[in-house]
């Protein structure tokens, strides 16, 4: 039985607070349909559901058997294709509505999918996030599998992380707490236990916000606190569900009896933990349809990986692969630029890029603008936006997209000065940010009592006075390494330092009090967010959205790609991030950059390398050949057709050590024998191993299966290894676990207590 040890999941926004378990095992309560113009009237037949689909979309909709992989480029109607697929199967009587589970990553996307399905007459189909679906299952099966009620689900883990840091005698500010929480989330979705965090983070090339050993200790203390307080976090929802499904075959069979058919959207964003949950839902079946685009993988820092998408044909050689490349969103001019960006890409995702083909009438060419400095760039964008609105373009159909949230303040002010309403998406208003408010208080105090402040003793002018005050708030003259909240906090304070420099240049003789008054005026002049305003958003926050007009600003080296992107993989993710930004535009696209940060500064910046060969006047860059491809259909073959993606070297077939039959079931392969072949397992040894495992799991704050699964312990109890070499040959005993647990396991197998040395008196 799996303990209630702490476990967690990967996408906080996707979960829902724990509620009372339903009386029966059904995911009821489908929400009302969202508005859509695809089918104002419910189709009157199954065939009517297929009307209006292009050939590739129709192939998706009618491929209802076996594994299906849909590679869908930006704007190609993937949601339309998969919702019509489900609706056609339901309306044709091929799929039972209650047996279908469609999974996506955000509540917004799940709600949109439910709405479209209802408009297509597919009532009763469940469309949920991974976390919502897992939470419902956890609530229903917990009393049966664990006993009692589900521990309370905490909405935010920041306070728990703060308490854990305090227990470790570490002081973390708000930004560091957020970054450490993100590291804990990444660890959990990649199934990394606290003790292994330093190694795993280094292997993944992560820029840890603190010393990795410190994060490891905070992570362990965090898990202990959750267990002591009988609470779970969002990551635990997935981990506990996985644990129950692995340890309770009866529960797994009940869920598999409920759900016969699975659809997974945004499959390029699946984490290892989510993939494991999906595999447990599926069991040995293959009724699975996945949809994704490796070229839109921009969340690898959260644990997302496109490998599951790219390896789909390797795992399912008989899969049907459908490529959607007809772009219904953007004009040919926008699509041409998007294709050009990917044509220069490198890496595995680039090898599978899709060549989009616009289905829209021609539009204006993308506009490239170079400015002398950042304020001029913001004013230029605001001026063009004002002209567009005056010409009749709705403000809500215009977006300004930037790389970091710290860039928003300049555009907030420029739009406010131009009388343009705006709304911020996925970021706090600049003057509402905690570090900015705190810095404002410090500056106000220094303006009043600066004569008695030793920080200002060596400050000779306004900019140096402001820098001196900000240094007390954690600002330094050099940016911190890495990304995340620490970097964003520094950039916010740096924006104040830069503003002081520009203010002093514009008003010689200005005092610190004058600067504080300027800050107050700027904060008061900003518009409140409004749904009718121009959208200001980071490129990450813009994923999944679209506008008639998009301004991509700050497209310069050092920002796109960002300075701290060092490795080839990080650089390529930055390229994909710009690709996502470009493909948000339907009709008009403006790209701009500034040669210097502030007026009068040295013009040392250059446009992003990603635009080389694409913007007018830039040198051409050799594109890739033999990669990517157009739309179409690749039908799988179970008769040995070569997969579309590289596969690992073939191993010798696993054979039963009792009867010699070839083993194909994963569980049997771990036992190294057929399920029904006689077992020579030492029952007493098995129970001692289970007791030892429970202690190890409690120490690490993980469910038992994270140490060794039941089947691995059974295999050990059967083999009774006497040496590390013999133990390493047992499936499930990887090198890391051999190094960590090998001595204990071998001691137990030898009849000793864990930690005892056989040669000791």
């Amino acid at each position: 039985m799996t303990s209630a040890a702490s476990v967690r999941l990967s996408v906080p926004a996707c979960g829902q607070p724990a509620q009372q378990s339903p009386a029966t095992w059904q995911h009821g309560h489908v929400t009302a349909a969202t508005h859509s113009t695809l089918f104002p009237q419910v189709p009157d037949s199954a065939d009517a559901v297929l009307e209006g689909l292009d050939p590739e979309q129709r192939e998706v909709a009618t491929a209802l058997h076996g594994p299906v992989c849909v590679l869908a480029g930006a704007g190609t109607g993937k949601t339309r294709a998969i919702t019509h697929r489900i609706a056609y199967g339901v309306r044709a009587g091929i799929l039972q509505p209650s047996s279908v589970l469609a999974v996506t990553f955000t509540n917004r996307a799940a709600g949109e999918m439910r709405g479209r399905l209802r408009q297509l007459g597919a009532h009763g189909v469940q469309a949920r996030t991974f976390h919502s679906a897992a939470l419902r299952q956890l609530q229903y099966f917990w009393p049966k599998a664990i006993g009692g009620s589900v521990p309370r689900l905490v909405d935010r883990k920041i306070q728990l992380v703060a308490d854990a840091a305090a227990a470790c005698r570490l002081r973390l500010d708000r930004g560091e707490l957020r970054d450490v929480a993100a590291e804990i989330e990444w660890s959990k979705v990649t199934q990394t236990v606290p003790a292994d965090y330093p190694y795993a983070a280094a292997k993944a090339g992560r820029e840890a916000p603190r010393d990795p050993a410190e994060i490891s200790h905070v992570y362990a203390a965090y898990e202990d606190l959750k267990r002591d307080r009988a609470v779970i976090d969002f990551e635990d929802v997935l981990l506990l569900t996985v644990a129950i499904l692995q340890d309770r075959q009866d529960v797994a069979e009940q869920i598999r009896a409920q759900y016969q058919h699975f659809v997974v959207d945004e499959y390029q964003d699946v984490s290892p933990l989510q993939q494991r949950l999906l595999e447990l839902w599926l069991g040995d079946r293959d009724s699975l349809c996945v949809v994704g685009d490796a070229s839109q993988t921009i969340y690898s820092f959260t644990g997302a990986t496109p490998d599951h998408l790219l390896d789909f044909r390797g795992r399912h050689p008989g899969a049907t692969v459908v490529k959607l490349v007809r772009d219904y969103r953007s004009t040919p001019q926008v699509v041409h630029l998007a294709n050009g960006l990917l044509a220069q890409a490198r890496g595995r995702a680039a090898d599978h890029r899709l060549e989009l083909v616009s289905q829209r009438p021609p539009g204006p060419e993308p506009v490239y603008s170079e400015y002398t400095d950042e304020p001029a760039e913001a004013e230029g964008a605001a001026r063009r936006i004002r002209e567009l609105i005056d010409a009749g373009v709705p403000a809500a159909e215009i977006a300004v997209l930037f790389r970091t949230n710290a860039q928003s303040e300049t555009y907030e002010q420029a739009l406010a000065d131009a009388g343009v309403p705006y709304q911020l998406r996925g970021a706090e208003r600049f003057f509402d940010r905690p570090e900015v408010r705190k810095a404002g208080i410090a500056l106000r105090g220094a303006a009043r009592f600066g004569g008695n402040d030793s920080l200002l003793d060596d400050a000779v002018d306004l900019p140096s006075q402001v820098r001196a005050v900000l240094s007390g708030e954690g600002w330094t003259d050099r940016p911190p390494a890495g990304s995340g909240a620490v970097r964003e906090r520094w950039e916010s304070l740096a924006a104040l330092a830069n503003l002081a420099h520009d203010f002093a240049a514009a008003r010689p003789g200005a005092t610190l009090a004058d600067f504080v008054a300027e800050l107050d005026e700027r904060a008061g002049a900003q518009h409140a967010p409004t749904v009718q305003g121009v959208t200001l958003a980071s490129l990450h926050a813009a994923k999944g959205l679209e506008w008639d007009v998009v301004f991509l600003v700050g497209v310069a080296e050092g920002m796109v790609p960002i300075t701290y992107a060092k490795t080839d993989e990080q650089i390529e993710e930055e390229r994909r991030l710009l690709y996502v930004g470009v493909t948000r535009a339907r009709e008009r696209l403006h790209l701009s950059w500034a040669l210097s940060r502030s007026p009068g500064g040295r013009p040392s910046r250059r446009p992003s390398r990603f635009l080389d060969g694409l913007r007018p006047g830039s040198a051409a860059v050799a594109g890739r050949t033999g990669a990517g491809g157009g739309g179409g259909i690749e039908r799988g073959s179970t008769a040995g057709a070569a997969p579309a993606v590289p596969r690992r070297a073939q191993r010798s077939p696993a054979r039963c050590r009792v009867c010699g039959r070839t083993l194909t079931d994963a569980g049997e392969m771990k036992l190294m024998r057929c399920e029904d072949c006689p077992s020579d397992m030492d029952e007493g040894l098995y129970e001692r191993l289970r007791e030892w495992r429970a202690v190890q799991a409690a120490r690490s704050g993980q469910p038992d299966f994270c140490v060794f699964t039941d089947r691995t312990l059974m295999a050990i109890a059967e083999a009774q290894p006497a040496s590390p070499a013999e133990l390493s040959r047992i499936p499930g005993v990887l090198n890391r676990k051999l190094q960590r647990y090998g001595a204990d396991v071998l001691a137990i197998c030898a009849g000793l207590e864990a930690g005892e040395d056989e040669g000791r008196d």
Side-chain angles (χ1 to χ4, degrees), residues 38-39 43-54 58 80 84:
L38 291 178
F39 276 100
D44 58 10
S45 67
D47 288 341
V49 172
L50 302 178
E51 293 178 1
L53 299 181
D54 67 33
R58 180 179 287 258
R80 178 180 174 86
H84 283 65

Side-chain angles (χ1 to χ4, degrees), residues 315-333:
R315 297 194 309 276
H316 303 281
T320 296
V321 177
V322 183
K323 297 180 181 180
L324 303 182
V325 299
R326 302 174 196 252
D327 188 322
Y328 298 95
R329 175 189 298 158
S330 304
T331 63
Q333 287 74 17

